[in-house]
């Protein structure tokens, strides 16, 4: 994509990127997202969030109606509240991985996300209110069915350190990453990433990687940022993100994504 061409597809992470630290999307950012869609661009949210955390942003989804959630494990129809496509962790593999992690890091706590339900161990530390239909159970019951994500929580380790300990234990049996610094590692099925589901979505729209720009802030965004023809990291991004992106824009609290879109689309 040359400097004079506008992108056909805009893909962005949410928390820490499009969403401000207070959990809101600013009026400026909403206006920019809606304006680029009116100009003919395709906009898609690509997030670690589970499906239930997308409903408040349904007005941003666009005509295609979907979002890529759970780090690429689910292509989700936001309006109809149903999963269109899933790539889930096999229960036997998930349980094997969970046991390997707990053997080496005994004080971890586990939770799972499915397309339609959240579950957790009894003492798992929640940073957000848990849904009313939460499954409270041991790891064997949590992983009795395929899961979109296995969440590994540690109460004192930074996510970077926890990931460094978990990654060698799981190898290539699953995909491990993190989306922030709050003692959480997120595990998906092998081969799952934001990039993989985004590439499929783009192909269905008849759009190439070269015609795509992507925005992100954390390690789970790296595959997506590498896939896109042009990558942007917000200034508050993880150092590993800032080291590899094509461009750095303003922080999430400074409407960095909106600033770029306004310039590219002459808004």
């Amino acid at each position: 994509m040359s400097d004079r061409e506008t992108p056909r597809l805009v893909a962005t992470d949410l928390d820490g990127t499009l969403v401000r630290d207070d959990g809101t999307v600013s009026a400026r950012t909403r206006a920019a997202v809606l304006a680029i869609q009116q100009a003919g661009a395709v906009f898609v949210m690509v997030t670690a969030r589970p499906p239930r955390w997308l409903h408040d942003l349904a007005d941003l989804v666009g005509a295609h109606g979907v979002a890529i959630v759970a780090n690429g494990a689910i292509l989700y129809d936001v309006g109809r509240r149903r999963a269109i496509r899933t790539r889930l962790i096999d229960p036997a593999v998930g349980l094997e991985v969970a046991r390997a992690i707990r053997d080496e890091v005994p004080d971890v706590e586990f939770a799972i996300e499915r397309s339609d339900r959240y579950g957790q161990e009894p003492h798992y530390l929640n940073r957000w209110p848990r849904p009313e239909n939460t499954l409270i159970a041991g790891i064997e019951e949590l992983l009795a069915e395929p899961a979109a994500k296995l969440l590994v929580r540690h109460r004192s380790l930074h996510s970077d350190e926890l990931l460094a300990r978990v990654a060698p234990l799981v190898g290539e049996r699953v995909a491990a990453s993190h989306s922030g610094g709050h003692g959480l590692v997120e595990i998906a099925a092998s081969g799952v990433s934001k990039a993989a589901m985004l590439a499929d979505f783009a192909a269905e729209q008849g759009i190439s990687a070269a015609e795509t720009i992507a925005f992100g802030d954390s390690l789970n965004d790296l595959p997506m940022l590498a896939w896109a023809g042009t990558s942007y990291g917000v200034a508050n991004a993880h150092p590993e993100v800032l080291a590899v992106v094509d461009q750095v824009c303003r922080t999430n609290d400074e409407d960095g994504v909106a600033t770029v879109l306004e310039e590219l689309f002459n808004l």
Side-chain angles (χ1 to χ4, degrees), residues 16-211:
T17 303
L18 190 79
V19 176
R20 291 184 166 189
D21 286 346
D22 65 3
T24 65
V25 175
S26 72
R28 178 182 181 182
T29 294
R30 285 184 181 273
V33 168
L34 296 176
I36 68 167
Q37 293 179 80
Q38 292 172 355
V42 176
F43 173 81
V44 63
M45 296 178 282
V46 189
T47 178
R49 289 187 181 198
R52 64 183 179 278
W53 289 0
L54 265 291
H55 302 148
D56 289 344
L57 301 177
D59 60 314
L60 300 182
V61 170
H64 56 76
V66 304
I68 296 169
V69 303
N71 282 330
I74 303 172
L75 183 66
Y76 185 65
D77 186 321
V78 179
R80 296 180 180 179
R81 300 195 178 189
R82 64 180 181 88
I84 299 172
R85 187 180 308 139
T86 59
R87 297 173 179 172
L88 306 178
I89 302 168
D90 177 84
V93 173
L95 189 56
E96 179 182 290
V97 163
R99 286 170 173 167
I101 294 170
R102 179 155 277 156
D103 283 346
E104 293 296 324
V105 192
D107 45 353
V108 294
E109 303 159 351
F110 293 113
I112 56 96
E113 290 282 4
R114 300 176 189 156
S115 60
D116 58 354
R117 196 176 188 189
Y118 167 75
Q120 65 166 76
E121 292 184 312
H123 301 295
Y124 182 86
L125 176 64
N126 285 288
R127 297 192 179 277
W128 306 101
R130 64 193 187 200
E132 290 184 1
N133 70 336
T134 296
L135 172 63
I136 308 294
I139 190 60
E140 290 80 7
E141 185 176 349
L142 294 177
L143 289 169
E145 298 179 23
K149 289 199 298 184
L150 172 64
L151 306 176
V152 186
R153 172 77 73 188
H154 194 283
R155 299 194 179 210
S156 61
L157 295 178
H158 187 279
S159 292
D160 282 347
E161 184 179 354
L162 183 59
L163 181 60
R165 295 182 66 176
V166 165
L169 302 174
V170 304
E172 297 185 0
R173 291 175 290 180
V174 291
S177 64
H178 80 68
S179 56
H182 302 295
L184 182 67
V185 164
E186 302 172 52
I187 290 174
S190 179
V192 167
S193 70
K194 290 185 175 186
M197 191 67 86
L198 178 60
D200 287 350
F201 173 82
E204 291 163 1
Q205 303 293 317
I207 299 174
S208 68
E211 299 170 301

